[in-house]
Amino acid sequence: MKPAPFDYAAPAELTDAVTALAERPETARVLAGGQSLVLDMHYRRERPALLVDINNVRGLDVITVDGHTLRIGALARHRAFETPTVAPAALGRLLSRVSPYIAHPPVRARGTMAGSLAWANPVSEWCATAVALDAGIELTGPLGRRRVPAGDFFVGPFRTARQPAEILTSVLLPLLPGQVGVGFCEQRRTHASFAQVAAVAVLTLRDGVIAEARLGLAGAADRPVRAHDAERHLVGREAEPEVFAQAGELAAAGSDPLAEPHAGVEYRRHVVGVLVRRALAQAREDSNGNYGDEGRDRHEGREAR
Amino acid sequence: MTGRTPVRLTVNETDYDVTVEPRRLLADVLREDCNLTGTKLGCEHGVCGSCTVLVDGEGVRSCLMFAVQCAGRDIRTVEGLAAHGRLHAFQQAISTEHGLQCGFCTAGFVMLVVGALEDDPSIAEDPERLDGLLSSNLCRCTGYEGIRRAVLRAYGRNGTHEKDGAEGH
Amino acid sequence: MSDLPPTRAPVQPPVSPPPTFTHVPQGAQSWLLGRREDARLVTGAGRYVGDLKVAGCLDAAFVRSRVAHGRLLAVDTGAAAEIDGVVGVWSAADMGDELPVVPSFTPGSADEERQRPALAVDRVRYVGEPVAVIVGTDRYVAEDGADAVRVDIDPLPVLVDPGQAAASSTWLFDGVDNVADEMEFGEPVDDEVWQRAAVVVEGAYRQPRLAPTPMEPRAILAVPELDGRVTIWVSHQAPHRLQKDLATALQLDVERIRVRVPDSGGAFGSKSGTFPEYLSVVRLALRLGRPVRWIEDRAETLSGATHGRGQNQRVRIAADEDGRMLALALEVDADVGGYPIAGFVAAETGLAAAGPYLTPKVHARVRTVVTNTTPTAPYRGAGRPEQVYAVERTVDLLARRLGMDPAELRRRNFIPPEAFPYEAPTGRRYDSGQYALALDKALELVDYGYWREEQRRRRRSDTERALGIGLCSFAERSGLEQAPMAHEWASLDVTPDGRVVARIGTCSTGQSHETVFPELVAHTLGIPAQCVSLIEGDTDEVVQGIGTFGSRSMQAGGSALHQAALELIEEAKRRAVRMGCAEPDVGYADGTVSAGERSWTLGDLATASPEPLRVEGVYDNAAAFPFGTYVAVVEVDPELGNVRVLRLVAIDDCGVAVDPEIVEDQTIGAIVQGIGQALYEEMPYDNQGTPQADGLLGYLLPTIGELPPLTLDTTVTPNPNTALGAKGAGEAGCIGTPPAIVNAVIDALGQSVAGTDIGGVQLPLTPETCWRAAAGQEVGAR
C-alpha cells in the first residue's frame, strides 16, 4: 500500500500553486489535509503525476466573519470547528455539533472542510452541511476566481463542478441568527466508520410556526442533497412531532440512496426518514435554547457507561 | 521537485538529514531512514492509528503525511518520551494497567494520549471526550479497558502525571 | 523470468542484530512495570519482524488474483522486470521445478487431489491468491513492479456458498468434486426419537467469514547466513512446525533452518500456518543469496491471508415436556475456501456438538467444502464459537417453544459435577465441570431478576426501547486431544550464579509468557522471579515445541514448566545425596537444598559438579475443558436497528488461574472480539467472489466506543489431569459473547422474530438486520 511515484510542489503563494496546477491539470492533484487523497494513493486508486501541496500557502487557514458570511479558508482543519465559538450563534452550534462525527481527532487535526467538499464523498457530513446552508464554494483557477453554489457543486459520487486546474480556496457559509435552531443526526456502525446516513436540519420558527426549513442529507443519494419536498412541507406548519414525521417520510420518499454492504437501499431510505425527524426535533429544541438530548442516537449518548 | 529530495526532519529534538522520494510516507522515513521503528504501520490508510506521532504537538497519522511535508516541523515519536532516565507517566501507566498485550498498537495509543492530554488534561475527566479520543485508534488484544484506566491513572485526579511534575498543567 | 544477479554468493554479513534497548531508561525496571515485556514495548524498543535491520535486505510484494475463479492463461512480467530497483519477478512458470507446494496443516492428512502451490499454476481459485512475486530494493519499488505485471485470466463460474458449491457441477479441482471431506460424530438419531419427542426445534445459522486482523499482519524475513543456513524471522505461533514445513516444501535439511519469532503483533490463530507467501520468500532468499522480507499490508491480508468461521449450520433438538433434551443433531457445511487447508476447525465443531449438556443422543455431520473465497483456517476459538453459537441459539429457541426460562432449561440439562469424567455421544471425554455453578453466579452478578422485571415493565410501555437478556453456557476445549499435539517440551538450566533459564516450546504472540512463565517457575522453586528468564520462539534454542494455539500455553506449556521445576527440585536433592547426605535428611525450600547443618543453593549445586544442573523433557498434557456462562443485556432501537449492550457478565472457569490478571487480560480481549463478531465483523462477498472490504473502513473492528460495561468473574474447577490445575484461557471470551448478545437481541425483539425455525436473524447483527427483524421482515434466510 505505497503510493505510485509523483512529482511534488509546495509553493508558498496561491498564484504559484495555481500555475503549477495549470501546467498539467489532468494529472495533478491538490494536497490539503490529504486524509482521503493520500489514503486513495496508497491503494493506487489515485495516481497523480504531480501533487501540488497547498499547506505552505499563506493565509489559507483563516476563518473570518465577513458581513453575513463565514469565510473558511482551504486550510481550516476539521478540528477548528470543534468549539461553538468558531462562528457566531446557531452556525457555531451547528458546526461544532457536526465536526465530532468526522473521523477522529488525528484526522481532524489534518483534514480540512474545503478538502471534504472537494473530495465529495456522498456520505460526508460537511457536504451535507454545505448543501443545507447553500454554501458558496469559491474556486481559484488560471482565469481567476469564481463562486459556485453548493447545490450546483456536487455532481455525483466524488465528482464536483471544480475544474481540474482550479483550487477550492474558500467555503462561504451564511451566518445563522441566534434564534434559528439547528440539529444534526448521524447513523453509523462504529466510531471508526463512515456515516450510513446523516441529516442536517436548520429551522427558523416564528411563534411555533416554521418560517424557514433547510434539510441537508448525506447518504441519501449519489451526492449530498437537500430534501426540498420535506422543506416545503414544513414551512407554514407548526413545529410538532407529527409534522416532523411527515417531513421525514417525504425526505425518505425523495431519497435515492446507493446500496452498500450492510446498508441496502431500502434501509438507507428508511433511515433518512428517521434521522430527518430526529434532527428536526433537535433543531426545535435548539431553537428554544435547550441543547438537550432529544433525538440523539446512541453514539452520542454516554449513558451507556 | 522530482526524484529524491533532501529533507531535514527534526524528530525528538534531533535533526535527521535524509534524502527521500516525495512519495515516501513520514512513517516509513521515521522507521527506515531515521531508524525510529517504534512507530508502527498497521493499516496504511489512517484507520488503526498505530502510526500516530505528534507533528507540531498534534497527534496525526504518519501514514497519511509525506516526509517532504514535514521539513521544519517538530516531530515527536514514542522514542522521545522517556526523559532523565524515567518513563513518561503514561508509558508507566499503560504498563501498570495492562493496556497492552502484543504491543504493536502501543506507540500509537501512547502518542495519541500524550498529544491530546498534554494539550488538555481535562479530557481525562470527561468520559465522553475520552472515549472520543481513544476511539481514534484500534487495539485487537486488550479490549481497551486497560488503556482507559491508564489514562485515568496518569491524567485523572491525583494522576501520576502531575506527581512527576511533568508539564502540561 | 528475471535474470539472477551476477553473483549468487551470500552478501556480507546478514546475521541479524539482537534487539537493542537504547530507548529504554534504566529506571524502567521490569518489576516496576505491569509485565516484563513492557519495558521495550512502551518505549518503542520492541523489535517486530518489520523493525529488524539487515544490510542489503530486499522487499517482496505479491501480485494477487482479482478474479475469484478462472484459468490462468498468462502472466507477463516483462514490464515489471524493467523497473529500476526491481531485482526479479517470478510467476509459477518462472519458478519451474522450484515452485513449492504448501504442506498440509496437520501431518498425515494431505489432500493430494487439492494441492496448493505457492503461486497459482494454471488456475486461480479466490481473489487474493498469489500469482507472481516481485523482489525489489524496497517495498515501494516492489509494489511498482506488482503494478506492472499483466495477468490474463479466463473466468470460470464462481461459487461463494458452501451449500451451492457442494451441489455444483463446476468443480474447483479437476477430477474431484467440491466436498473435500465428510465427517460424522456420534450415531445418527433414529427418526422415532424426533417423532415421539414432545418438542422438536430446528434452527439454521450462518457463520460469516471473519478476518482475524491482528494489528501486525503477516511478516517474514529470510536471511541466508554465511554458514549455509537460513534464519527465518517470522511473526508466528508455531515456529517448529514452520521449520519442519519449510524443510519439507523446500527440500532442505531441517538443521539448515533456524526459525526465530521476535516480538509479534498479535495472531489469534491466524499466524499458525505455513503460508504460500512464506515459501516463495524463503525460496527466493536462498536463490538470490540475499535477505528478503515480506511485510504484508492491510489490503492484502484482508483477502490474501486466511479467514475464520464460515459455516452454514443446521441444528435440531428434541426434548420432553419438561425440557430435558433427548437428542441433538448438528449439520455443518464448512466453507474452507479455495484450498482445504484446515478442515480440522470444522471437525472441532462436530466433536463438540453436545456442549455442556447431558443429551443422550448426539450426532454431528460435517462437510468441508471448497469455494471461490479466501481459505479458512483457525481464528480465535477455531470451531468452538461455531458450535456454541449454533447450539445456544437453538437452546433458546427450545426455551421459547416450551415457555420456559432459558436459564432453567439450561440448568436442567447440564452434565452434573458428579458425572465427570464424562464421555459425550460424539466420543469427546470431558474432564471436570460445575456448569450450574457458573450459570448461577452469572445470573446473580447480572441481577437476572431485576432485568426480567425491567423487561416486563418496558414491554408494558409503548415508548421505551425494547430490552432483552441473553444467555450462553458453554464447555470448550483447551489444548489438543491428539498426541503429539498434547505434548510440550520444556527445559530448565541452572547457571552457576543461581539463575534459572527456562525454555519452552510454546510461542507468545502477546500472551505475556515472558512475565508469567518465569513467575511460575520461580514460585515453584521458591526463588525470586527476577532469577528466572525465559527463552522461546527460537528453534536453535528450543529443541522442539508445539507452539501457542488452542489456549494451550499455560495448560500445556505452563504445566510442562511446572513439572520440570518439580523435577529440578528432585534432581537438586539427588545431588545432595550424591555428596554424602542421607536421603531422608535432604530437604528443599526456597532455592536451597539442606541436610542437617549443610546447605546448598541451586547455584552451588550447579557449580559443584561438571555435569550441568538441568532438566529437560516432553510432558504430556491432555486436553482440558474450560467452561462458563455469559449473560448479555441489550437494548434495541427498533427504528434504526441499533443494538446497545447495557451489561455483559462473563463467568469463566479455566481451572486454576496461575496469574489471574493475565487471564483477565485475555478474557476481555476475547470478549471484545466476540462483540465484533456479534455486531460488526463480516467479510462479505458479492456473487462474483469479490470481497467487499479492502480496508478497516469496510471491515469494522470494535473501538473503545463500542465497549459495553463488562463484569468478569470466575469459578475454579481445577484441571484434574495436571498438578498445576490450570485449564486454558484465551478464547472463552469470543466463544461466550456472540450467542449471549444475539440471544439477548432476539429476546428484545420478541416472538415475531423468534418464531421461525429456519432462517431468522443472522450474524452480524447490523442495524439493517435488526431493523428488518424488528419490522417482522424476513431476514438472513438462506
Side-chain angles (χ1 to χ4, degrees), chain A residues 1-5 39 42-45 47 187-194 196 260-267 270-271 274-275 277-278 296-299 301 303-305, chain C residues 139-140 143-144 147 297-299 465 637 639-644 646 679-682 684 692 694-697 700-701 703-707 709 764 766-768 771-772 777:
Chain A
M1 299 178 74
K2 308 295 186 190
L39 186 161
H42 290 343
Y43 283 93
R44 301 199 179 199
R45 293 189 286 247
R47 299 159 177 264
Q187 169 72 352
R188 57 181 177 181
R189 291 189 58 213
T190 75
H191 280 67
S193 63
F194 278 113
Q196 293 181 322
E260 62 170 23
H262 302 303
V265 169
E266 194 188 355
Y267 176 68
H270 165 78
V271 173
V274 176
L275 295 193
R277 194 195 75 217
R278 291 185 186 184
R296 292 182 145 206
D297 78 0
R298 72 197 174 110
H299 293 302
E303 24 170 350
R305 48 192 68 86
Chain C
R139 175 80 187 191
Y140 288 78
E143 288 192 23
D144 293 345
D147 243 10
D297 68 35
R298 187 60 62 188
R465 289 180 180 180
D637 169 0
E639 259 195 336
L640 292 177
N642 292 330
V643 173
R644 194 162 92 183
L646 302 177
L679 300 175
Y680 310 110
E681 293 182 42
E682 177 184 22
Q692 298 296 289
D694 62 358
L696 298 178
L697 290 167
L700 296 181
L701 303 183
T703 73
I704 197 171
E706 280 68 56
L707 192 63
T766 63
E768 180 171 13
W771 166 69
R772 285 186 187 283
Q777 299 183 32

Side-chain angles (χ1 to χ4, degrees), chain A residues 110, chain B residues 53-60 69-76:
Chain A
R110 292 293 305 163
Chain B
V53 301
L54 306 187
V55 173
D56 293 338
E58 276 192 310
V60 300
Q69 294 185 275
C70 297
R73 296 175 182 275
D74 170 30
I75 302 168
R76 284 172 74 195

Side-chain angles (χ1 to χ4, degrees), chain C residues 393-461:
Chain C
R393 277 198 61 177
T394 314
V395 168
D396 258 36
L397 189 59
L398 178 62
R400 284 192 297 277
R401 185 67 44 82
L402 289 162
M404 190 181 284
D405 182 286
E408 176 55 26
L409 176 65
R410 284 174 170 80
R411 194 179 288 111
R412 265 181 212 189
N413 285 286
F414 283 145
I415 303 162
E418 62 277 11
F420 293 97
Y422 172 79
E423 186 159 336
T426 56
R428 167 153 279 174
R429 197 176 155 87
Y430 293 84
D431 53 0
S432 60
Q434 302 182 78
Y435 302 151
L437 188 68
L439 171 68
D440 290 342
K441 193 162 186 178
L443 297 179
E444 185 192 326
L445 272 182
V446 78
D447 200 348
Y448 190 62
Y450 166 81
W451 288 112
R452 283 286 176 218
E453 180 49 43
E454 173 66 8
Q455 181 180 43
R456 281 189 288 273
R457 193 189 65 75
R458 289 202 192 189
R459 280 185 179 158
R460 289 191 296 268
S461 139

